[in-house]
Structures are given as structure tokens and as C-alpha cells.
Amino acid sequence: MKKIFIFLLTLCLVLPLAACDLGKRSGTLTIAENGQTSYTVIYAQSSATGRDAAQIISNCLSEMCGAAFKPQIDTRASESATEILIGETNRSASEKAKAALPKEGDSFSISTSGKKIVIAASGDDALLRAAQYFASLYDTLGFAGDSTLLTVPASFSVQKSVHIPTAEPCDVLIAGADVTPTALSSFKLKDTDKFNRVRAGTSDGTNFFLAAADAAGQVKILKCDNTGALLAQSEVLPLGRAVSMCYNTLNGFLYVAHGGNEADAVSEIDSATLKLHRTYYLAAQVDGIAYRDSENAFLAHQKGSDIYRNFNYKWEAVGDGVTLPTPVGAEDFVDLLADSKNIYALFDSEDGPLLVTYNLTAGRYLPLPCPIAVTPSFFLIQNGDFYIGWVKSGTTLTKVAVDFTPEGTYTEPSEAFNGWNTGLNTDGLYATEYINVFQTAKKALPSLPTRVAFQGGCTDGRYAYCCLEDQNNNYDDTSVHRTRIAKIDVITKKLIKLSEEMELDHSNDACYNSKTNQLIVVHNGNNRNRISYIDPETLEYIGSATMPCNIFSMQYNAARDRYIIGCSSWAHYAIVNPDTLTFEKRFRVAPSAEYCTTKITTQGVDCDDQYVYFVQWISSERRNQIIVYDWEGNYCFTKNLPEITIESENIWHIGKDFYIGCAANPDDRIYKVTLTSWLNIPK
């Protein structure tokens, strides 16, 4: 770790000077006095980031001393001795400061050059981080004073690297992927004396920092190595119950959420000295906190709720937060972590720790039971691995990793397709019968008739939603058809809920809109342009809408916030705006002898950020295929589906793997189709 320069907060009392005399005096620079300043904040004329950074610093300085600091562009005519330079200005001091930065990686520096204060950075992101660092930790740079006098040491220099995570759980823990946690090793804390009840913990990548209490509830911060040996400890600190911790890789400070009766308080602690720096009071009560390197921001779990709140680098609330579902089986919330892509929440359950990964971009989540029979107290990340802490005759940390192959790095099918596995064959695809949908649904309703047919299907990333259509022995008149929706846990393969009958015509396809948290069912019967909205929790009908054409299939892409629909002419598909249900683009796809050698039945559609996937049934050959296009209407390739000899109905994916819903009364089933990008058969 780079050394963090800490300057003692010093109050300087000096005789008043006129504004024109502000500047350097013995050992210090006078930045402002009696509400006046001669300093200007200068940024490069061509830099929008420089302007934003200059505004952050100007606001910070004005709040400190009451003087007016206004950002100005770097014209030569305005140059003076008393300037605060932001980024690549045309001043020589800026050029020299940037030249002194490391050539590799992102970094910034804050230093003095004569009477000037110079903030230099390797790039735009680092410059914004430098401004945020300044605004939140100006006192550690030596800025001291109030509305009467604001000073800073006449000579100082701080250089920081912007941390870019190189090993994160999200690299292998993809929300929705087929992964299994494994307990690798455990170690018990040593030499902790009576402070042996650890309530929260975090890591700086090398050592562990733990908030530990004694029998009376007094709290200290312990610094331990990765064997549990004690390296240093703080004095007793006023940290409440100390329910959660995180480490800020930019400034090197620890943050502790007090919890209990002080749930709005988060304290900032210097990781080098283990001394309390300041306490923030939040606009919400929280019991779990996490730092996100990628945003230089914080995430917090709102106490007693399913809400996760965003806070900026100064612990100011940003937005209303996001509500994420608590999975089935979870009991008490324990702790919170985050990285650049995922949120990780740890719950206690009847079967032990339950780790839940939430992928906000994809709108999906995945519960992962952890194989240790303990009651968890906290958890943390170190170099991409999880450690779960639990207390029993002292505190033990158990390292929990995830079994994965190189395939685990793929978050969607398009990332795993390459020149080897895109031929008109089954290379790279391996199918296994995964869930018997009819038999699973029949457990809830033994009287479910065998004539029921599996039609539309989709997923929210954890649950499968299967449309089971009873045609009432009248295939042509879909007004008498009735559909039940079976909600099935994809991991446990257990039925969660079976709906009442609904009038959804042929219920030909379905999709899940993660933005609105609704299921959409495509009718494709007597009402060929109708869709219906279903509540995924209650499985009750919400309402219907009319599409701009007759459709047979539909899928939603969260990253693009768009629907893909299959138009009721097999050679057409379209992109539809979900808010207006109007065409954004419509494509006519010409048939190709490569993949259309016989009559096909068009079925469901799936999509990811790059490709659109239609599943098709060729009855004369008793086989199925996936035909692949891009989002611009271009045909890409076709894949034959191996070992599936019954009629496909729907297609969806979790992670990189497809799930194909097939009808075969009374054995309707879902096949899992594993996609591999390399020449090897999965074990």
C-alpha cells in the first residue's frame, strides 16, 4: 500500500490582514481571511471534467471559510501567484506536477508550488477522484481554520493511486450462473484478550480490520494478518454496536456503521493510526455498508427493510435507493459487500449463511447457500474471496470460494460464442433434461389435466415462469383456453406458486421486465396482438395492452430497456419501446438455405446485449435449432440443439446458459443447454 500522508489538524490564530496581503506567511499559506480571498480556482478551458472538479473544490473551500471561490478558465491574462490549479491547465506548475506522476496506472497528486496549490491527475477519472478526496479529507492535507482564517502548510505533497480492482467476486460470481460456494479454510483470531467478539470486519487487501467488543460492549478496532495474529489495536472507540465495516481504497480510511440506537451514524477511522477521524450522520438508518471502488461511493442496507441506499463520497444520500427481494429461506440480514458489478448481501437462514448476489444491470439475483453450519456475524472480501466471520468461543473467519471454470467469466451467451462454436452443428452446446414442469406443477394441483401444454416461459434470473395452457379440447378457439402460470425455483427445482386459471389465449410466449417487475404474456390466439401483464409475486392478472402488430414471441433486454418481438410472419422481428409499445426498428429477414431446408415452427425468442435468439422446431426431423440475429437485423448463425427431440416452445438464459421449454404432454419439461466457448465437454 502507498503511504498515506496525514497532517495534524491545527488551529492557527493570527492578526487580521487586509485582503490584498493574503498569501504566504511563516510556515503557512493563508487561503482566506475574514471572508475574503485572493485565490482563484483555475481549470483548463477545454476540460469538462476539470470544470466539475473545480466546482467541487470551490464549493468545499467556500463552505470552510465563507469566502467566494469561483472556478475560472486558464487564460494567461488572469494568471496570478495565488491560484488553485485543477488538472491540465496552461500553467507550468500543472505541467510539472503531472510529469511527476507514475507512468503506469491512474493516479493524482495534491501539492504546493510557491503560493499555488496544484492538483494534477493522470486522466479525467483520477482528476474527479482527486477533487472528491480533497473535499472529504481536506483537513488531512493541513487545511485548518474557519470564517476568520483558513490556512494550509506552505509546503506539502500527497500522491495517491486510483484503485482498479483486479480480483472481484463478480469475475466468477455471475448473477444467475451455476456456481457452488466451497469452504476452503478457517482461522481463529489470536491475542485479542477480552475483545474477542467481532461484530464487523473489512480488509485493505493485505490485512483484516475488525470491530471487536468485550463483554461490556466496548468496541476496539483490531488489525490482524491473514493468520489471525494481532498486529495493532485501537483505544476503545465510540462506535455503538459496530454492525458493519468497509474500507475506502482511495483514502485509506475505515468506515464503521454504528447500528442499534445509533443506526444513522457512520464513523471514519484512519487505518494507519486506528484513530477516529470524524462521524457522519446519515439521512437513513442503516445496518450494513459497503464501498464501491468503481464509483468512489458507498452503499448501505436500510435497517429493517429491503432497500439498499446509495451515498456519495461524503455520505450524502443519492436517489431513493433500490428495493431488492429477500430470497426464500432468508431470515436475518447480516452484512453487505459490493464490487463494480454486483451487490452481495449475507443473510442468516435455518440452514446457515445464505449469500445473495444481486446484479443490478441485469436485474437478477442468485442465492448461494454457504456450506458451513454456523451463525454468521459479518463477512468481507479480500482479493476476490469471501470470508465469513462467526463467533463461538472467540471469533473464526472462514474463507469461502466459488468453484468455477473459465466459462464462469461469461455473463451472457453472446460472450461465449466464437469462431469455433457458431457453425451449423451442435459444437459447444450440451443439453440435459432439467425440470419436469408438468409433474412439478401437479404436486400443487393433483387434478391438473394431462391435456395441459407448456407454452410460454421466461425467468427473472432466479425463478422460471411457465405458462401451462389447457385448450379444453378445442385448439382453434383460444377464447375457451385457460392458462395457469407455474413459478419454479430454477436452483432447487421446487414449485413456489401455481396461479389460478387466466384467459391468456394461447399464452405463446412470456418475458420478464426487470424495470417494471412484471411478467408479460403474449396471447397469439384469437387476440394475436394482445399482451397481458402479470404480477410475478402473486401471479395475478394486472392488465392488457395492444402491440403495434400481431406477435408470437417477446423478450425484454434490461441493458437496452427494449423489447424484441417476433412478428407474425416468421421472417420479421422488431425492436419495441416498452413505454409506448411502438416500433423503434422493424426487420425483414430473408430466408436462407443454410438454416431453412424444411418447414419450421417459430417459437419463443430470447436476447442479450449483442444477439437475438429464436428457437425453432423442425417436426419432420424431430429436432430444434436456435437462429441468431443481431440488433440491426443481420443474420449471424444457426445452432442445432442437441438431444432435444420434442417440440420447443420457449427460450431464455441465465448467465451464459440457455433454458429451452418443451411441450410433451404430460411430460412438459425444461432443458438446460450449457454453452462452452472452448473445445472441452463440461464435467
Side-chain angles (χ1 to χ4, degrees):
M1 290 186 59
K2 295 185 177 295
K3 184 177 178 182
I4 300 173
F5 292 83
I6 305 298
F7 294 88
L8 183 63
L9 177 63
T10 307
L11 293 176
C12 300
L13 300 176
V14 297
L15 295 174
L17 295 176
C20 61
D21 294 328
L22 298 183
K24 193 169 182 180
R25 55 179 76 180
S26 180
T28 64
L29 297 177
T30 300
I31 306 301
E33 190 171 1
N34 295 326
Q36 296 183 340
T37 183
S38 63
Y39 274 82
T40 52
V41 180
I42 303 296
Y43 66 94
Q45 184 172 5
S46 60
S47 174
T49 302
R51 181 192 61 229
D52 294 342
Q55 191 63 63
I56 290 172
I57 289 172
S58 296
N59 292 344
C60 173
L61 291 170
S62 294
E63 290 174 6
M64 275 194 277
C65 65
F69 291 84
K70 295 182 179 179
Q72 297 181 17
I73 59 175
D74 56 347
T75 60
R76 285 292 184 187
S78 65
E79 184 169 1
S80 69
T82 51
E83 293 181 330
I84 300 173
L85 306 179
I86 312 297
E88 293 188 75
T89 73
N90 58 15
R91 311 302 199 242
S92 61
S94 294
E95 183 178 355
K96 290 178 181 177
K98 183 170 183 180
L101 292 173
K103 304 304 179 186
E104 301 292 332
D106 287 341
S107 59
F108 65 82
S109 65
I110 305 174
S111 61
T112 54
S113 177
K115 292 184 179 181
K116 297 181 189 290
I117 296 172
V118 186
I119 299 179
S122 57
D124 285 348
D125 184 63
L127 182 59
L128 195 59
R129 299 294 177 93
Q132 294 170 347
Y133 181 94
F134 182 99
S136 59
L137 291 172
Y138 54 83
D139 57 336
T140 68
L141 299 171
F143 281 82
D146 52 26
S147 59
T148 303
L149 183 68
L150 178 64
T151 65
V152 68
S155 178
F156 71 86
S157 179
V158 171
Q159 184 174 293
K160 299 289 293 182
S161 291
V162 176
H163 180 67
I164 300 175
T166 56
E168 296 186 321
C170 66
D171 293 335
V172 292
L173 268 175
I174 304 303
D178 188 10
V179 293
T180 304
T182 303
L184 295 183
S185 58
S186 296
F187 63 86
K188 200 166 186 175
L189 299 186
K190 311 176 185 72
D191 308 317
T192 57
D193 195 19
K194 60 182 179 179
F195 287 86
N196 57 6
R197 298 169 175 83
V198 177
R199 295 175 172 175
T202 189
S203 172
D204 63 1
T206 302
N207 297 307
F208 297 108
F209 295 88
L210 309 169
D214 63 8
Q218 298 183 107
V219 176
K220 286 185 177 182
I221 301 298
L222 311 180
K223 180 179 179 180
C224 303
D225 66 15
N226 58 12
T227 69
L230 184 66
L231 302 177
Q233 61 181 307
S234 72
E235 299 297 322
V236 171
L237 298 175
L239 300 175
R241 291 189 55 80
V243 296
S244 185
M245 288 181 71
C246 63
Y247 174 76
N248 184 323
T249 55
L250 180 66
N251 62 30
F253 278 71
L254 309 168
Y255 294 86
V256 180
H258 288 211
N261 296 329
E262 304 172 18
D264 62 338
V266 173
S267 285
E268 185 176 68
I269 296 167
D270 184 350
S271 63
T273 64
L274 302 185
K275 293 183 181 297
L276 178 65
H277 183 238
R278 65 161 64 91
T279 297
Y280 294 91
Y281 293 92
L282 314 186
Q285 296 207 331
V286 302
D287 56 6
I289 58 174
Y291 175 71
R292 302 188 68 194
D293 295 271
S294 57
E295 307 293 332
N296 188 31
F298 297 95
L299 184 77
H301 176 257
Q302 187 165 305
K303 184 179 178 181
S305 75
D306 289 335
I307 300 173
Y308 295 78
R309 305 287 301 272
N310 291 304
F311 294 85
N312 68 11
Y313 59 94
K314 294 194 294 184
W315 285 100
E316 297 167 336
V318 178
D320 296 326
V322 59
T323 300
L324 300 174
T326 297
V328 175
E331 295 178 354
D332 298 326
F333 173 84
V334 176
D335 207 354
L336 176 67
L337 296 171
D339 58 24
S340 61
K341 296 178 183 177
N342 288 349
I343 296 172
Y344 307 94
L346 184 68
F347 294 87
D348 192 14
S349 74
E350 184 177 345
D351 298 322
L354 181 62
L355 171 61
V356 184
T357 76
Y358 296 95
N359 186 304
L360 295 179
T361 301
R364 295 172 176 157
Y365 72 99
L366 174 69
L368 296 169
C370 297
I372 50 175
V374 300
T375 300
S377 296
F378 64 95
F379 81 139
L380 53 86
I381 297 174
Q382 185 179 79
N383 300 324
D385 293 319
F386 293 108
Y387 288 80
I388 294 178
W390 46 284
V391 178
K392 185 176 181 181
S393 300
T395 297
T396 300
L397 273 76
T398 297
K399 183 177 180 179
V400 177
V402 177
D403 290 334
F404 70 99
T405 71
E407 303 301 320
T409 60
Y410 299 123
T411 62
E412 54 186 31
S414 63
E415 295 177 354
F417 279 120
N418 55 35
W420 169 73
N421 61 15
T422 50
L424 185 60
N425 49 42
T426 62
D427 289 351
L429 300 182
Y430 305 92
T432 54
E433 186 175 331
Y434 196 67
I435 299 174
N436 189 310
V437 175
F438 180 82
Q439 296 300 333
T440 301
K442 195 174 177 66
K443 293 177 181 178
L445 187 65
S447 61
L448 193 67
T450 56
R451 63 175 180 264
V452 163
F454 184 14
Q455 299 295 338
C458 66
T459 186
D460 60 6
R462 170 63 193 274
Y463 300 107
Y465 299 89
C466 307
C467 297
L468 302 178
E469 178 200 22
D470 185 349
Q471 298 174 356
N472 284 309
N473 298 315
N474 189 337
Y475 177 83
D476 294 326
D477 183 8
T478 60
S479 67
V480 301
H481 295 193
R482 297 294 181 267
T483 295
R484 295 179 186 268
I485 297 179
K487 180 177 182 178
I488 301 172
D489 189 314
V490 176
I491 296 175
T492 66
K493 306 179 185 180
K494 294 180 179 179
L495 182 72
I496 302 300
K497 190 176 182 65
L498 183 66
S499 76
E500 298 297 321
E501 290 186 335
M502 291 178 279
E503 297 181 20
L504 299 174
D505 288 296
H506 193 42
S507 56
N508 200 67
D509 202 10
C511 67
Y512 173 73
N513 186 323
S514 58
K515 183 178 178 181
T516 62
N517 190 32
Q518 291 177 330
L519 303 175
I520 298 95
V521 176
V522 174
H523 283 230
N524 192 36
N526 293 359
N527 300 287
R528 296 171 69 84
N529 63 348
R530 180 177 293 177
I531 59 173
S532 286
Y533 300 100
I534 308 296
D535 186 318
E537 299 299 326
T538 64
L539 299 185
E540 294 176 348
Y541 172 84
I542 299 173
S544 295
T546 300
M547 298 299 290
C549 67
N550 293 340
I551 71 171
F552 65 88
S553 60
M554 188 171 185
Q555 188 55 268
Y556 175 72
N557 182 270
R560 293 175 180 264
D561 188 26
R562 289 295 181 267
Y563 290 125
I564 284 286
I565 64 169
C567 305
S568 292
S569 166
W570 77 269
H572 291 79
Y573 70 99
I575 301 172
V576 171
N577 185 307
D579 299 320
T580 62
L581 296 183
T582 55
F583 288 125
E584 187 169 282
K585 292 182 180 180
R586 189 172 183 179
F587 307 109
R588 180 176 179 82
V589 183
S592 168
E594 178 187 1
Y595 59 85
C596 186
T597 58
T598 186
K599 183 179 179 180
I600 64 174
T601 302
T602 55
Q603 301 288 12
V605 64
D606 189 21
C607 62
D608 57 25
D609 291 354
Q610 183 174 348
Y611 291 136
V612 176
Y613 310 92
F614 286 93
V615 66
Q616 300 172 336
W617 165 241
I618 300 92
S619 59
S620 61
E621 301 175 18
R622 306 299 298 175
R623 69 176 180 86
N624 295 275
Q625 65 185 19
I626 300 175
I627 184 168
V628 183
Y629 301 93
D630 65 18
W631 284 79
E632 296 300 324
N634 301 306
Y635 167 72
C636 298
F637 56 90
T638 300
K639 292 297 296 182
N640 292 330
L641 290 174
E643 303 172 24
I644 305 178
T645 58
I646 57 177
E647 183 178 359
S648 61
E649 299 289 346
N650 56 75
I651 179 173
W652 35 276
H653 72 274
I654 297 178
K656 64 179 175 57
D657 296 327
F658 291 110
Y659 293 78
I660 310 294
C662 298
N665 320 63
D667 288 317
D668 301 325
R669 67 197 71 167
I670 295 172
Y671 284 86
K672 180 178 180 179
V673 179
T674 301
L675 170 60
T676 180
S677 66
W678 54 325
L679 194 58
N680 192 13
I681 298 176
K683 295 179 181 180

